[in-house]
Amino acid sequence: MALGNLDEIYRDDVILDHRRNPRNPVRLNDPDIVADGVNPFCGDEIHLQIRLDYEGRVSEVGFQGEGCSINQATGSMLSEAIKGLTPNEAAGLSDRFHTMMQGSEPTPEQLAGLGDLGSLAKVRDFPVRIKCALLAWSTLEDGLESA
Ligand code: ZN
């Protein structure tokens, strides 16, 4: 398979939408979990604030991102995807995302199960950029571990 053009990723409707209209951009006060991640290689930054409800599920998320489109779109998608999950479930989703990006070619069922995040499977064609899609998730995992 020929490597795709990076422009295809930037033109992807789902990725473009999250890039232009990031979800949950308001910084939360008094969060239960705070996580900040930086990738100095391309200037990507991820800042997450998470509030848990009385059952220990993610009830609110604040997400602020800097840097490339892949990083910012992934953070926006993550901020939606983890709502309602327990920290364990969020870590499981992170595992599934890592598998999609770094494991064998994902099946249509795997992609469908990941919702908007499945659109990032295209980034597999650009190995150098995979870490841009993983920063938000590794930042989340650091936050979950320190909670
Ligand atoms: Zn990047």
Side-chain angles (χ1 to χ4, degrees):
M1 189 180 77
L3 287 183
N5 183 329
L6 202 54
D7 286 347
E8 278 175 35
I9 291 175
Y10 295 136
R11 282 197 297 262
D12 178 274
D13 286 342
V14 178
I15 294 172
L16 203 57
D17 182 50
H18 279 274
R19 170 74 183 87
R20 288 185 175 156
N21 307 296
R23 312 303 195 267
N24 309 298
V26 177
R27 184 176 292 273
L28 295 184
N29 295 320
D30 303 323
D32 295 299
I33 296 171
V34 178
D36 301 287
V38 176
N39 172 7
F41 178 79
C42 65
D44 288 344
E45 291 184 26
I46 293 279
H47 306 283
L48 293 170
Q49 305 88 42
I50 296 171
R51 268 196 212 132
L52 304 175
D53 68 13
Y54 65 95
E55 289 183 312
R57 293 183 178 275
V58 174
S59 58
E60 283 184 87
V61 182
F63 154 69
Q64 302 82 40
E66 297 284 340
C68 72
S69 293
I70 295 169
N71 174 58
Q72 299 202 52
T74 308
S76 172
M77 291 178 195
L78 176 153
S79 74
E80 284 289 278
I82 63 171
K83 279 189 187 168
L85 302 185
T86 64
N88 267 343
E89 289 167 346
L93 181 59
S94 182
D95 282 346
R96 286 163 60 209
F97 186 78
H98 276 81
T99 300
M100 178 187 86
M101 296 305 296
Q102 297 180 303
S104 51
E105 190 76 28
T107 65
E109 290 75 21
Q110 281 175 311
L111 294 182
L114 284 162
D116 283 2
L117 288 162
S119 63
L120 293 161
K122 293 186 182 75
V123 178
R124 291 168 57 96
D125 292 345
F126 309 93
V128 143
R129 308 306 298 278
I130 288 176
K131 63 182 175 311
C132 298
L134 295 180
L135 177 65
W137 293 97
S138 57
T139 301
L140 172 70
E141 288 181 18
D142 288 347
L144 294 175
E145 279 166 21
S146 63

